Amino acid sequence: MVANSEQSVDNNEECKVATTASILRDLLNVGRIRPLDAAFAEFIMHHEHADSVLDHGGIHIVGLLAAYLSSRLGEQDSCLTLHSFYQPFLPFYHFGSSAELNHVLAASTCVARLDANRASTDINKPLVLEGNELYMQRYWQYEVHLADKINSMTGQPSVLDMDEGRALLAQLFIHKAPLPVDEAPSNANGTEYDIDWQKVAVCLAASQNVSVITGGPGTGKTTTVIRLMALLQGLARHKKSRLQIKLAAPTGKAAARLSQSISAAMGHLPEALQADLPTQCSTIHRLLGSIPNSPYFRFNEQHPLHVDVLIVDEASMVDLPLMSKLFAALPRHAKIILLGDKDQLASVEAGSVLSDICAAAQNFSPTVYNQPPPYSSDALTVIKALCQIELSTPYVNNAKISNSLALLHKSYRFSEHSGIGRLARAMNTGKLPASKALFANTDYPDVRWNASDEPKALVNNLLKGYQAYFSCVQTLCTDGQFETQGTEVFALLQQQQVLCAQKEATWGVHQMNALIESELNKQGLIDLGRDFYIGRPVMLRQNDHSLGLFNGDIGIVMPDEQNEGLVKVWFVTEQNTLRGVLPSRLPPHETVYAMTIHKSQGSEFEHVYLCLPRVETRSQARLLSRELLYTGLTRAKKSFTLYSDEQALSVSIARRCKRGSGLAKRLIG
């Protein structure tokens, strides 16, 4: 009887093993997990079988949790929160409550369990359970080290010479100082805001070792950081010293754009304050010193950067591992300023560092438009002393990070009567009826909504713009003056841009590029018989540091004037000149009449055509989010047209892209 009973138990356990294996296969077949996720689950279960007190059921629960955690990492989550983990896979497999899961994980030999003091007998395990958050060990390390570094830096505010600071600010903010043309205010009713948020941001960032300057498009982030650099260098010069200030960005394209913006705006500073200010920006990887075929950098905690002030543009694009390594490489005395739009899409890899820092600084409270975050009394005193601006905050946040956030509210690009500006605010606050009303309001001709489900309708609307583009291409080819005058072709290319939420399927990048090329070929504007036809716009998919070309750079195929019959792909340099590269030398690239919204980050276009796919499956719905829509919309400088049905628009505005992360909680303490 006993033997039969034991045999029955064994059979049940074998059945459970088989069921788990079939679940993994089913999940692979339907695309819910990747082969990598299944392999990681098998690895965990193998090690649990070798040395574990768990029964077969417990072992395979740990394995499935590992598969799900790995898949979520592929969806850019840094961790898995157990209390929100119910039925992630298939409805017939029940995991139980978070308490039951915690009990199983506590007995696992592959999981390091931490107490409230972050203590553990053995942290060197593939998985880490801290509270209700389950991490891959490596990503737990990234998050902990980054939080510890930020907390240590924010606990040491800078001591400023108030008298000298006020004198310098008076020079930097003379009647708001002339701004670059693209940032010049255009308030239709002629009214002024009472609070100069740029001035507040400069003062706050100067007094903190970690600061975030965030705002929507056209709020003057570049102008603000130039004034900040001038203030910091001026204060150092008063002390007979000189700061080492460096600029960095996550991509080559973003770095080049910041370099151009800084150079263009520098002349608007008083000449005496322009000395020793950097104009060239590098990628973060180049700044840290990439090591080929290695995840490590030459500059790190043991070998810190030679920098006093580091400014990082487009910080929302920086993922958790890279940001952790960047902070680790900062010397103890350094300041770091993160620039970006907290409401844009987060990084394409795991983490949402910029939004996590902002959430912690605001203690998870929503942004109140035109109101400051919950600064401490010390920060308010500094702002009043330096800026002569008296602020009051709606509540208090006792976290060290509370004084690190500066919000830029006023847009200098969009007037009060701009549909783009109003639509961005409505979408960003989840207001679907208000968004639809703005599209329908004829007072805002700069925003349009086309509910057509036929991509050909969009292609027809694009033809007029491309006819002007290819006409200019032909003229310059005939005159043989492209190398000297070709920048106007790039300007025409930037007049319009198709942005897509996905690469494949209907309304995807590949389909739209193929449709546009086919129609241009029919019109006789291009010759599809040649791969590198004259006028073809291409976008790079990888960096090539030896050529000075970067992922996201856009070039145009034009004749090689020195070699008849040959072509080159021409790119605009930081000096606004052109340089040609032979097609055979190019890194991986693709045609770019259409690009993904992710690839458009850091770019601007006169007219943006945004395409959203129909929501027919759960995976298509997961593609869409408020952040995706907002990012695409705010790439437009003058006009925006949405191609979408009502359901896709509703899903996009309703769904927030919230990533699994414990960083904000660690910063609050």
Side-chain angles (χ1 to χ4, degrees):
M1 292 291 291
V2 174
N4 289 337
S5 178
E6 289 177 348
Q7 186 177 0
S8 176
V9 170
D10 289 341
N11 289 337
N12 288 334
E13 289 178 345
E14 289 176 6
C15 182
K16 186 167 284 189
V17 173
T19 301
T20 304
S22 69
I23 289 175
L24 289 176
R25 286 195 299 270
D26 290 343
L27 293 171
L28 278 169
N29 291 335
V30 298
R32 292 291 302 279
I33 65 173
R34 305 163 297 174
L36 175 67
D37 308 325
F40 183 64
E42 296 288 350
F43 166 81
I44 292 295
M45 289 188 291
H46 173 76
H47 281 269
E48 291 287 2
H49 274 293
D51 184 21
S52 178
V53 298
L54 293 173
D55 60 15
H56 282 291
I59 289 173
H60 290 279
I61 285 177
V62 174
L64 286 176
L65 280 172
Y68 189 53
L69 173 62
S70 178
S71 73
R72 294 313 305 164
L73 189 62
E75 296 293 328
Q76 295 80 47
D77 289 347
S78 310
C79 63
L80 176 65
T81 303
L82 293 184
H83 66 67
S84 63
F85 183 88
Y86 295 108
Q87 300 292 115
F89 293 135
L90 300 174
F92 56 80
Y93 196 97
H94 296 272
F95 286 95
S97 67
S98 62
E100 292 173 309
L101 292 177
N102 267 287
H103 179 73
V104 171
L105 292 172
S108 168
T109 60
C110 292
V111 180
R113 183 167 181 153
L114 307 181
D115 61 22
N117 297 317
R118 206 190 294 164
S120 173
T121 56
D122 185 9
I123 199 64
N124 192 26
K125 294 181 178 182
L127 302 175
V128 176
L129 181 65
E130 184 175 4
N132 271 315
E133 275 72 45
L134 183 66
Y135 292 83
M136 295 276 196
Q137 199 239 46
R138 182 159 54 101
Y139 283 84
W140 178 84
Q141 295 278 6
Y142 288 141
E143 189 176 283
V144 167
H145 291 167
L146 177 58
D148 288 349
K149 182 75 174 189
I150 293 175
N151 283 329
S152 68
M153 293 177 68
T154 52
Q156 305 171 12
S158 302
V159 178
L160 302 177
D161 185 327
M162 294 295 180
D163 292 334
E164 181 64 18
R166 281 192 296 270
L168 289 168
L169 285 170
Q171 298 179 61
L172 292 167
F173 289 87
I174 302 174
H175 305 299
K176 292 192 133 340
L179 296 170
V181 174
D182 63 341
E183 293 183 358
S186 55
N187 198 328
N189 58 20
T191 61
E192 292 279 1
Y193 285 81
D194 294 329
I195 299 173
D196 187 342
W197 294 109
Q198 291 187 18
K199 194 173 185 179
V200 171
V202 169
C203 293
L204 200 70
S207 65
Q208 301 295 317
N209 287 333
V210 177
S211 56
V212 173
I213 300 176
T214 182
T219 52
K221 294 186 290 291
T222 301
T223 301
T224 301
V225 81
I226 290 174
R227 289 167 170 165
L228 172 61
M229 290 192 299
L231 173 64
L232 293 173
Q233 199 67 273
L235 288 170
R237 196 179 299 114
H238 184 66
K239 295 181 178 180
K240 311 298 183 186
S241 64
R242 176 180 175 273
L243 295 176
Q244 184 73 16
I245 304 176
K246 292 187 177 181
L247 308 171
T251 67
K253 181 173 67 172
R257 188 167 178 271
L258 181 62
S259 296
Q260 292 167 358
S261 300
I262 294 282
S263 298
M266 193 69 73
H268 300 282
L269 284 178
E271 189 172 348
L273 298 179
Q274 295 181 27
D276 300 322
L277 300 187
T279 58
Q280 296 303 305
C281 179
S282 74
T283 63
I284 296 174
H285 286 79
R286 176 171 286 185
L287 175 75
L288 292 176
S290 296
I291 301 174
N293 303 315
S294 171
Y296 304 105
F297 296 97
R298 288 192 298 109
F299 291 100
N300 48 49
E301 192 171 10
Q302 288 72 42
H303 185 206
L305 292 162
H306 304 295
V307 63
D308 301 307
V309 180
L310 177 61
I311 296 164
V312 182
D313 196 23
E314 298 292 350
S316 64
M317 300 170 63
V318 185
D319 56 63
L320 173 63
L322 184 57
M323 191 71 85
S324 180
K325 293 171 184 176
L326 181 63
F327 268 82
L330 290 173
R332 292 191 176 189
H333 69 278
K335 289 180 179 289
I336 184 169
I337 297 98
L338 304 178
L339 301 178
D341 187 344
K342 64 181 179 64
D343 298 315
Q344 283 190 26
L345 284 165
S347 58
V348 295
E349 301 296 336
S352 52
V353 177
L354 186 72
S355 62
D356 285 344
I357 294 174
C358 294
Q362 295 178 286
N363 202 13
F364 294 101
S365 297
T367 300
V368 180
Y369 180 72
N370 224 26
Q371 291 293 323
Y375 296 137
S376 70
S377 58
D378 290 341
L380 295 175
T381 300
V382 170
I383 294 170
K384 183 179 180 180
L386 271 180
C387 303
Q388 310 296 298
I389 295 175
E390 191 161 0
L391 298 177
S392 60
T393 57
Y395 60 98
V396 176
N397 180 8
N398 293 320
K400 295 178 184 177
I401 197 70
S402 66
N403 299 326
S404 296
L405 178 61
L407 298 170
L408 300 181
H409 299 280
K410 182 181 179 181
S411 176
Y412 295 92
R413 182 180 305 165
F414 306 120
S415 73
E416 290 294 309
H417 292 286
S418 163
I420 294 176
R422 288 177 174 264
L423 185 61
R425 193 178 304 173
M427 287 180 172
N428 210 19
T429 51
K431 297 177 179 176
L432 177 62
S435 300
K436 293 166 66 175
L438 284 165
F439 279 121
N441 194 331
T442 56
D443 290 338
Y444 305 108
D446 57 332
V447 293
R448 286 169 282 181
W449 180 15
N450 192 320
S452 171
D453 196 34
E454 178 50 58
K456 185 70 181 300
L458 168 57
V459 176
N460 291 335
N461 285 335
L462 294 168
L463 283 180
K464 184 177 180 180
Y466 285 129
Q467 284 170 349
Y469 166 73
F470 282 103
S471 175
C472 183
V473 167
Q474 187 60 44
T475 299
L476 290 176
C477 287
T478 303
D479 297 342
Q481 297 181 352
F482 178 78
E483 194 167 348
T484 56
Q485 301 181 17
T487 53
E488 62 183 281
V489 177
F490 284 86
L492 283 171
L493 186 63
Q494 299 284 310
Q495 290 294 307
Q496 57 185 27
Q497 183 63 54
V498 178
L499 301 182
C500 306
Q502 58 189 355
K503 284 193 171 185
E504 306 293 344
T506 304
W507 296 111
V509 167
H510 295 161
Q511 184 202 42
M512 295 308 304
N513 277 323
L515 284 173
I516 293 169
E517 283 191 314
S518 176
E519 191 60 36
L520 293 174
N521 190 60
K522 290 178 184 177
Q523 298 289 325
L525 297 174
I526 65 173
D527 178 10
L528 279 180
R530 300 176 60 183
D531 187 16
F532 287 92
Y533 57 81
I534 301 299
R536 178 191 172 194
V538 299
M539 181 171 65
L540 306 183
R541 301 201 306 265
Q542 288 184 12
N543 297 333
D544 189 326
H545 292 287
S546 64
L547 292 174
L549 299 174
F550 303 98
N551 185 4
D553 284 354
I554 293 176
I556 297 174
V557 179
M558 292 292 286
D560 182 356
E561 296 176 3
Q562 309 302 318
N563 297 280
E564 188 175 351
L566 298 180
V567 298
K568 285 184 176 180
V569 183
W570 297 84
F571 297 87
V572 180
T573 69
E574 294 176 356
Q575 292 74 37
N576 204 37
T577 60
L578 296 180
R579 61 176 296 225
V581 179
L582 290 172
S584 59
R585 295 283 313 276
L586 284 183
H589 54 276
E590 60 190 7
T591 303
V592 71
Y593 297 106
M595 69 174 70
T596 62
I597 298 171
H598 283 85
K599 279 290 188 182
S600 74
Q601 286 184 271
S603 299
E604 296 173 345
F605 310 95
E606 297 295 310
H607 192 151
V608 165
Y609 297 87
L610 180 61
C611 311
L612 298 180
R614 294 185 65 182
V615 182
E616 297 174 334
T617 64
R618 182 177 176 182
S619 62
Q620 287 175 322
R622 290 170 61 193
L623 280 174
L624 306 178
S625 69
R626 189 182 305 175
E627 291 81 1
L628 186 83
L629 191 58
Y630 171 84
T631 301
L633 167 64
T634 54
R635 299 310 90 204
K637 295 176 69 174
K638 293 184 178 179
S639 300
F640 173 79
T641 303
L642 175 67
Y643 279 79
S644 161
D645 62 19
E646 187 166 350
Q647 183 185 14
L649 176 62
S650 300
V651 170
S652 298
I653 291 179
R655 183 175 177 272
R656 298 226 64 165
C657 185
K658 182 169 176 60
R659 294 185 173 179
S661 170
L663 179 61
K665 291 190 295 184
R666 297 183 194 278
L667 296 176
I668 292 175

